[in-house]
Amino acid sequence: MDKMPKWADIALIPFLNLLIAFVLSGLVIFAIGENPFKALMTMIDGAFGSTYGWGYTLYYTTNFIFTGLAVSIAFKAAMFNIGGEGQAMIGGLGVGIACLFIPAVLMPHWTIALVFAMIAGAIFGAGWALIPAYLQAKRGSHVVITTIMFNFIATALMGYLLIGPLKLKSAQESASASFPDVTNLPTLHEVLAPLGISFSKSAPANVSLFIALAMCVVVYLLMNRSRLGYEIRAFGESPTASVYAGISPTKIIIIAMMLSGAISGLMAINATMGQHERLILNAVEGAGFIGIAVALMGRNHPFGVLLAALLFGFLYQGGSELSLWSKIPRELIVVIQGLVILFTGALDNMVRMPVERMFIAAAKRKDA
Amino acid sequence: MVGAKTEGQQATVAPAIELRGISKAFGPVQANKDISISVQPGTIHGIIGENGAGKSTLMSILYGFYKADEGQIFIHGKETQIPDSQAAIRAGIGMVFQHFKLVENFSVLENVILGVEDGAMLRPSLAKARKSLKALADEYELHVDPEALIENLGVGSQQRVEILKALYREADILILDEPTGVLTPAEADHLFRILNGLRDQGKTIILITHKLREIMEITNTVSVMRRGEMTATVKTKDTNPEELAELMVGRKVLLRVDKVPAQPGEKVLDIKDLHMVDDHGVERLKGINLNVRAGEILGIAGVSGNGQSELMEVLGGYASATGEIRVNGDPIDLTGKYSDGRSRRERGIAHVPEDRQEHGLIMNFPAWQNVAFGYHHSEEYQKNALLMDNKKMVEIAQDKMDRFDVRPPLPGLAAKNFSGGNQQKIVVAREIERNPDLLLVGQPTRGVDIGAIEFIHKQIIGLRDQGKAVLLVSVELEEILSLSDRIAVMFDGHIMGEHLPDQTDERELGLLMAGVTGEGDR
């Protein structure tokens, strides 16, 4: 055995990473004079203790599944798409335009509205990724730099549209008019009620969750079973070998980035269409960046992304409950999230290498 | 041990290097197993063995790249710990790597002092180095222009810079890893003169190679490694190439290739006035005219870097060019949409690339995904319009791996976990089994062990005997001479001449490879 067993790679290591992050967070909480165990209980209770908590946790999870999947696809093609935030914003613009401007006769039911919104969100998100992708493929401008810049451009563009052309004239804030009722997506409360399960009415989780789960399966099949996925992975592993095999780098860079942008853009069906039901500034709330951590922690595997998204959903929801019910300031929640990202993403090897050595040593002892 | 004159002192002179019971394992792989070796000062000691025999690991331990699990190192009789390469340098060990570690756009002097500058200002260090380089050059025939930029030097000179670097750091034990791989025969001879000079001055040299000829020519003693163990250490004058080859492989080896005379048919490949300019604007191919017929192997000899790689890249579909290439009589696209690797494969061109790790394989992909690589569009790998048939891909890979004796025959194992020879077998199996009209083969046996070399050569000849055309590029003259039905020599982007293998020899080809013409070639 030259490496550790698979279960250790996908379960034990992330668990240890998390444990260290939580222990350190606990120490920080202890240092400011609060009880870390009570804090943890508050977070768990806030995120999972009620259907209301679940509703928010799953809402955030849905966002992170989309952005996490988006980052992971680009990762597989060896590209670091930092632009999930902007792509999701512009995806929201697409969703908003579809909801506001497609005539009611074409959208008799929310399911049809959802299809339109998904198409528009995906196209807008993909379009926003296309320019950095083109610049990378044809001009060699690094995609990390250009996607970061495109986040700022997206923010500025949304700002302009929401105080200008798309602004609801009668309102004070920078937001569009509310979407027509037919485009409002059923919440989990409405979905689960016929099954006799009562779910909080005020929680934002909605049917987009199921789209997100389906996306995990679609991305898995795309990456591991389709020819395109094979080519994307081959390119990501070795661009030189891909050229030998007749795979066009330009094509793969552009397609992978557009897929990534499209899935980021789909996030808007959850946030913009499902929750806010109108266009607002900052509907994305940093989910594009969290997606990077989610993809890292999920090892770029769709089901890993799903689990990591759930974890971050918990941190988001549990964190806001914590700041509500304790003296722990809001900023400390960000510290905890930062520690989790640090240990699961950036410092992964710190845990991985000793554990790997341990397994190899153990295997050797057994052989001897 | 060197000769009569030191025989008497042998007991009093401590060995320059003595290794006792060195073992090193990488996971389950025992790379070095209880290796003991003793090298007398002022000798050239050869270490020979197949790829993966553990030569490089042993030298990496000596140079501080790896830490041995067990064992001791003695330098001049004193036990020495070598935790890193700095410690190795302090102990007087210098290493010349197979792939040079030079800064391309620095001058020779700047490279020599890199890492051993005397202070914050460069000028005094450079002046000192200039003086000592001149002394070294006079002493050992190591002439290089100190002000020249590395990128403007030939490989032979670059290698001399590496040796100078080691000597400037006052190394008295010099390790050379496969030093002649990139050299012409003449350059190799020059290197051997330098090494002989160094030995006469009392330096100790360890030469790692897989070329038996070099061992016989220059070493005093030779150690043979096989599967991580030191199988024998003998005086060179008491042995012969056949015995060494047998010690290396563990069985009798055929050093010659058996084949029947070629039966050339129609022209399969016809190249006319092919020019190619690389990304830096340098013209790499300067009007190539060549043809390969069905049922023959055309070998292209030459020192690497003279356009052979570029020719293969153009033919394989990953570099554009101008001129004309016809395959089976019809021209192929050289610049446009149909000049990629996929179009080439569709025209019946298969390609075993020179660098299997860089081009031929995806090292992190399992074998079964590599077996489909480049042919992943083909009908048999598709399940339906959307998905590929992974199960079928594994089956096909398993079948090919069994028939090509890939060890271990596990389709799920990542390519990087196979030895060089088995990696090459995967590539050869993939390309030959496509039944191509034209097979391009670059350095088919580079980094491949002797056992696998035999097998791969047989496969190439088998394809020729089926009436296919084979274009072979190799820097190993021996390989070119034994496989080819015709030999063309490439130098500086030109074809210098064509010869029949039984009417030429290494000397004549060597001159052509160095760009010398006019010896009655047609």
Side-chain angles (χ1 to χ4, degrees), chain A residues 1-2 221 224-227 230-231 233-235 237-238 240-247 251 360 364, chain B residues 28 318 340-342 345 351 353 358-359 362 364-365 369 373-374 376-377 382 386-388 390 430-431:
Chain A
M1 186 173 59
D2 60 341
L221 289 175
N224 296 293
R225 301 292 306 280
S226 82
R227 202 164 60 213
Y230 177 84
E231 292 194 343
R233 286 184 295 119
F235 176 79
E237 289 285 348
S238 172
T240 47
S242 302
V243 174
Y244 154 83
I247 298 168
K251 185 184 118 185
I360 288 167
K364 218 193 263 169
Chain B
Y318 44 109
D340 66 341
R342 188 179 163 192
R345 286 180 179 83
H351 186 183
E358 190 70 17
H359 291 119
I362 306 253
N364 283 329
F365 273 15
Q369 293 187 10
F373 193 52
H376 51 279
H377 288 275
Q382 319 303 322
L386 291 175
L387 299 180
M388 299 182 84
N390 286 9
R430 178 180 74 206
E431 300 300 323

Side-chain angles (χ1 to χ4, degrees), chain B residues 156-197:
Chain B
S157 306
Q158 291 191 11
Q159 193 171 52
R160 267 167 258 156
V161 177
E162 285 283 13
I163 297 174
L164 282 170
K165 256 170 73 182
L167 294 177
Y168 184 73
R169 285 160 179 72
E170 292 172 353
D172 68 344
I173 299 164
L174 209 54
I175 305 169
L176 293 104
D177 189 7
E178 301 280 359
T180 58
V182 289
L183 304 181
T184 61
E187 282 173 322
D189 286 344
H190 186 178
L191 173 70
F192 290 165
R193 279 204 304 283
I194 293 169
L195 294 184
N196 271 322

